Amino acid sequence: METAQSTLPKEEMLLAKFEEKTAAGEAIEPRDWMPEAYRKHLIRQMSQHAHSEVIGMQPEGNWVTRAPSLRARQILLAKIQDEGGHGLYLYSAAETLGITRDEMIQQLHSGKAKYSNIFNYPSLTWADIGAIGWLVDGAAIVNQVSLQRTSYAPYSRAMVRICKEESFHQRQGYEIMATMMKGTAEQREMAQDAMNRWWWPSLMMFGPHDTDSPHSADAFRWKIKRHTNDELRQKFIDKTVQQAELIGLTVPDKDLRWNEAKQGYDYGKIDWEEFNRVINGHGPCNKQRLSHHIRVHNEGAWVREAAEAYKQKQKNN
Amino acid sequence: MTQQEALFKYTLRLGDNALILSQRLSEWCSNAPFIEEDLALTNFALDMIGRAQVLLRYAGEVEGKEKSEDILAFRRSERQYYNNQIAEQPNGDFACTMVRQLFISAFELYLFTELQKSKDATIAAVAAKTLKEVRYHLAHAEDWIIRLGNGTTESHNRVQQAVNDLWMFTGEQFEMDETDNLLIAEGIAADLHALQPLWSNYIENILSKATIKTPQDAYMQTGSRKGIHTEHLGHLLSDMQYLQRAYPDAIW
């Protein structure tokens, strides 16, 4: 066995090589050496991403049985199925870092792993399905497009595939909103109400301002992250405000103004107190989302056990 | 009863079976034992919505009262649905959903094999497309029944319980009335009585592979050919029809 002293220079050498590689923008594959902190950072981020896809199925699933037309039900079901598929894909990508899906699910249940804060808000009306597709998926795309060039190759490949589907979702969400804005007074009211409730939480999806972002420094150096939270948020606002105006929706921000000099919108103050409150467990649906996932997981235990028992029996025969 | 009325009712029956089961299966969304299964069940639901769409649209055309597939799907009352009662039965646990799927998909395998030969071009085309999907639904249900039946004591007992509970809804699938007789004479519909022994053999074989006893109880529920259902359908419809009923002028 090598002693700690003798491994040290080797580790340092590997680290130097890794830093050089990431600095040059080269991709890291699962078999490549990587520092423990890089691995941990990615496990945290990718499992959170996977959990978000899966927990996000709940607010949308809430309207599946009440979708107002066969076409609407088809589109919604297919979308949720895509999200589940993304979750699956991301779990597998995260497993290349030496963690199992079971472990990731345990961490979700224990509270160690998080999921996107946005899904702690409720989907109250059908218009919320439009708003989630348009705003939430819209915000997610901006983030994910940036992640297509992230340094860890399996994550980057997952993002390339996922982005293609997400842009469909965003268009479908926008279509729901547009149809409702062309509809009856009640539908327009429903759409505006959904806009009012989802706009600010969507802006919060990009995370705190860069000055307050806890995991940023290493992530930038290792090219896991390539754009700041504020850059991505600005990008989202600039493309979305115009879409809202086009169909007659009002963005619920009295400070929103076009800034000619920066060629982008200035926007009002985000309520970070609300963000922190919800992240720390006091949002409208935190308890509901997690206990639903735990309950379903526990209720399904006998099925998984039976499948395992059958597999063992087949092996022994 | 005219041939047009019979064809309308027959197409509604085919469409409603797909519509109602798809509604039940979509309830599994974010509720399945693991994510692969969540995707599989919602995928089946999607197949069935597609089938319902085509059949209800055709039913509307046959009726000739300018009713769209959505009007037929969302604006009828409980007594105007003609799906077999087994389709509307609650999901129960995973074993119950798989047993229901096995009973229905095995029936549909034989039904759509026959309907491929229907003289009605639309029904024949739907049957050909559906058959591909049904084979997959059936293989999936079959695998699970064999796996669960031979898995643990708990999974075995759950499957046996589900088989016992759902058995009384299986006979109705083969009931025929004036509608069937009239359309069989025209070469449009399938002779359901002829399918029953095929179905029984098939099911007995799978259940025996799963070490599950086939119930000997001959009592069978009936009613759906006359639009009589179990209490579960009303609740399913109030969920499904909510927006269409609450905002009748809205287009979604």
Side-chain angles (χ1 to χ4, degrees):
Chain A
M1 189 193 279
E2 288 175 302
T3 64
Q5 265 181 332
S6 72
T7 57
L8 200 62
K10 193 182 165 203
E11 282 259 313
E12 271 176 7
M13 221 173 66
L14 288 166
L15 181 62
K17 210 175 153 201
F18 174 86
E19 296 278 1
E20 201 180 301
K21 231 174 142 176
T22 47
E26 280 179 50
I28 305 298
E29 291 289 348
R31 63 180 179 278
D32 296 340
W33 185 89
M34 62 187 81
E36 209 37 42
Y38 178 83
R39 183 188 304 275
K40 275 193 179 145
H41 186 106
L42 277 164
I43 287 179
R44 188 184 55 75
Q45 184 170 339
M46 290 167 75
S47 73
Q48 171 169 338
H49 199 157
H51 295 324
S52 303
E53 300 279 0
V54 172
I55 296 287
M57 294 165 77
Q58 288 183 40
E60 298 191 295
N62 183 39
W63 279 92
V64 161
T65 61
R66 293 178 291 170
S69 71
L70 293 173
R71 180 174 176 269
R73 179 135 64 99
Q74 213 165 23
I75 291 173
L76 179 58
L77 256 185
K79 172 185 196 285
I80 301 174
Q81 210 183 23
D82 285 348
E83 311 292 8
H86 298 169
L88 205 53
Y89 203 55
L90 284 162
Y91 281 131
S92 305
E95 282 183 330
T96 62
L97 292 160
I99 185 169
T100 66
R101 201 204 304 185
D102 266 351
E103 286 168 327
M104 286 184 263
I105 290 176
Q106 287 317 318
Q107 290 183 355
L108 172 70
H109 291 177
S110 74
K112 189 184 171 206
K114 304 276 183 214
Y115 55 86
S116 177
N117 209 30
I118 193 84
F119 299 121
N120 289 319
Y121 292 86
S123 65
L124 300 177
T125 72
W126 174 251
D128 289 33
I129 296 305
I132 291 175
W134 173 43
L135 298 176
V136 175
D137 286 50
I141 294 171
V142 172
N143 201 15
Q144 287 166 351
V145 163
S146 162
L147 281 170
Q148 285 180 339
R149 290 176 56 234
T150 192
S151 59
Y152 189 54
Y155 195 24
S156 150
R157 285 191 286 265
M159 284 304 117
V160 170
R161 193 169 131 163
I162 287 171
C163 279
K164 283 185 196 149
E165 294 182 351
E166 294 289 4
S167 59
F168 265 113
H169 301 167
Q170 204 228 354
R171 268 179 271 167
Q172 287 160 350
Y174 188 59
E175 188 199 87
I176 292 179
M177 294 304 254
T179 307
M180 290 183 78
M181 289 306 287
K182 277 188 282 186
T184 65
E186 282 162 318
Q187 284 177 298
R188 287 196 296 277
E189 199 182 315
M190 221 185 269
Q192 182 63 54
D193 170 62
M195 174 81 188
N196 296 348
R197 282 181 291 108
W198 289 94
W199 174 255
W200 291 105
S202 298
L203 296 192
M204 293 176 198
M205 281 175 72
F206 296 95
H209 289 308
D210 304 321
T211 43
D212 307 318
S213 188
H215 303 289
S216 279
D218 284 347
F220 275 114
R221 201 176 72 251
W222 290 330
K223 303 260 170 46
I224 296 174
K225 205 169 170 174
R226 288 175 172 268
H227 299 95
T228 71
N229 294 350
D230 286 327
E231 279 168 5
L232 296 173
R233 188 167 14 243
Q234 186 69 50
K235 217 172 185 169
F236 170 71
I237 293 171
D238 292 344
K239 74 169 185 164
T240 311
V241 168
Q242 289 167 5
Q243 292 170 354
E245 281 168 358
L246 195 66
I247 56 175
L249 280 167
T250 308
V251 178
D253 178 356
K254 59 178 171 33
D255 298 320
L256 189 79
R257 245 165 234 103
W258 177 254
N259 181 331
E260 191 60 38
K262 79 170 182 187
Q263 284 295 299
Y265 286 91
D266 289 331
Y267 53 96
K269 212 167 155 284
I270 294 172
D271 183 355
W272 293 112
E273 262 175 50
E274 175 182 323
F275 176 76
N276 288 320
R277 194 169 63 239
V278 178
I279 262 198
N280 289 316
H282 296 121
C285 296
N286 300 54
K287 240 180 120 72
Q288 183 187 333
R289 300 286 183 242
L290 198 56
S291 38
H292 178 93
H293 196 279
I294 293 172
R295 181 178 59 75
V296 166
H297 187 73
N298 291 342
E299 280 175 5
W302 70 270
V303 179
R304 299 190 298 273
E305 281 158 20
E308 193 50 41
Y310 182 70
K311 201 165 91 186
Q312 289 306 326
K313 280 182 197 172
Q314 294 304 101
K315 261 190 207 161
N316 297 338
N317 280 343
Chain B
M1 186 181 262
T2 65
Q3 187 186 325
Q4 183 203 17
E5 284 163 350
L7 185 58
F8 173 60
K9 225 174 144 185
Y10 192 74
T11 314
L12 272 188
R13 191 202 295 168
L14 294 175
D16 287 349
N17 275 321
L19 175 71
I20 300 301
L21 187 59
S22 83
Q23 180 76 3
R24 279 297 183 222
L25 287 172
S26 62
E27 290 171 13
W28 274 105
C29 180
S30 81
N31 284 304
F34 47 92
I35 196 141
E36 287 85 346
E37 204 51 41
D38 214 298
L39 301 185
L41 291 169
T42 47
N43 208 32
F44 296 173
L46 274 172
D47 288 345
M48 290 168 207
I49 299 174
R51 197 197 316 169
Q53 239 171 350
V54 177
L55 285 164
L56 293 178
R57 191 180 304 144
Y58 183 51
E61 284 165 25
V62 170
E63 192 192 28
K65 292 184 182 169
E66 292 189 354
K67 284 184 197 152
S68 68
E69 62 267 33
D70 281 335
I71 294 291
L72 285 172
F74 294 95
R75 303 275 180 98
R76 280 177 291 155
S77 65
E78 291 90 331
R79 294 286 313 274
Q80 294 165 326
Y81 283 80
Y82 295 103
N83 59 284
N84 294 315
Q85 291 178 0
I86 192 169
E88 76 212 27
Q89 294 313 300
N91 288 339
D93 61 11
F94 185 70
C96 183
T97 291
M98 281 303 123
V99 169
R100 185 183 63 197
Q101 198 62 49
L102 178 76
F103 288 164
I104 293 176
S105 295
F107 166 71
E108 289 182 338
L109 174 74
Y110 295 114
L111 173 70
F112 289 112
T113 302
E114 281 304 302
L115 288 183
Q116 279 189 114
K117 298 176 259 173
S118 173
K119 282 191 182 154
D120 182 291
T122 307
I123 291 180
V126 171
K129 180 173 184 288
T130 302
L131 206 50
K132 290 182 199 140
E133 297 165 353
V134 165
R135 285 206 179 97
Y136 183 69
H137 304 165
L138 185 58
H140 184 85
E142 207 180 281
D143 281 353
W144 270 114
I145 296 302
I146 292 172
R147 208 177 288 146
L148 295 176
N150 294 293
T152 61
T153 311
E154 182 180 7
S155 66
H156 175 92
N157 293 344
R158 283 177 187 261
V159 173
Q160 185 67 63
Q161 187 63 50
V163 166
N164 297 350
D165 290 346
L166 288 170
W167 190 251
M168 67 176 174
F169 295 106
T170 56
E172 195 188 40
Q173 300 190 99
F174 305 96
E175 276 181 17
M176 299 207 288
D177 63 7
E178 197 190 344
T179 309
D180 299 77
N181 295 331
L182 204 148
L183 296 178
I184 288 170
E186 299 296 328
I188 293 173
D191 181 352
L192 301 178
H193 291 168
L195 306 184
Q196 189 150 23
L198 301 173
W199 181 89
S200 298
N201 277 342
Y202 187 91
I203 293 294
E204 261 177 57
N205 177 36
I206 298 300
L207 292 185
S208 117
K209 279 188 190 164
T211 66
I212 296 291
K213 290 192 193 81
T214 303
Q216 297 307 312
D217 192 349
Y219 169 71
M220 289 291 159
Q221 287 266 19
T222 181
S224 76
R225 297 287 182 269
K226 295 189 175 71
I228 289 174
H229 290 273
T230 58
E231 288 179 348
H232 304 297
L233 185 68
H235 294 282
L236 180 150
L237 294 180
S238 43
D239 221 24
M240 189 175 87
Q241 296 182 341
Y242 154 63
L243 281 169
Q244 283 272 344
R245 297 284 202 183
Y247 305 97
D249 301 328
I251 292 165
W252 303 93

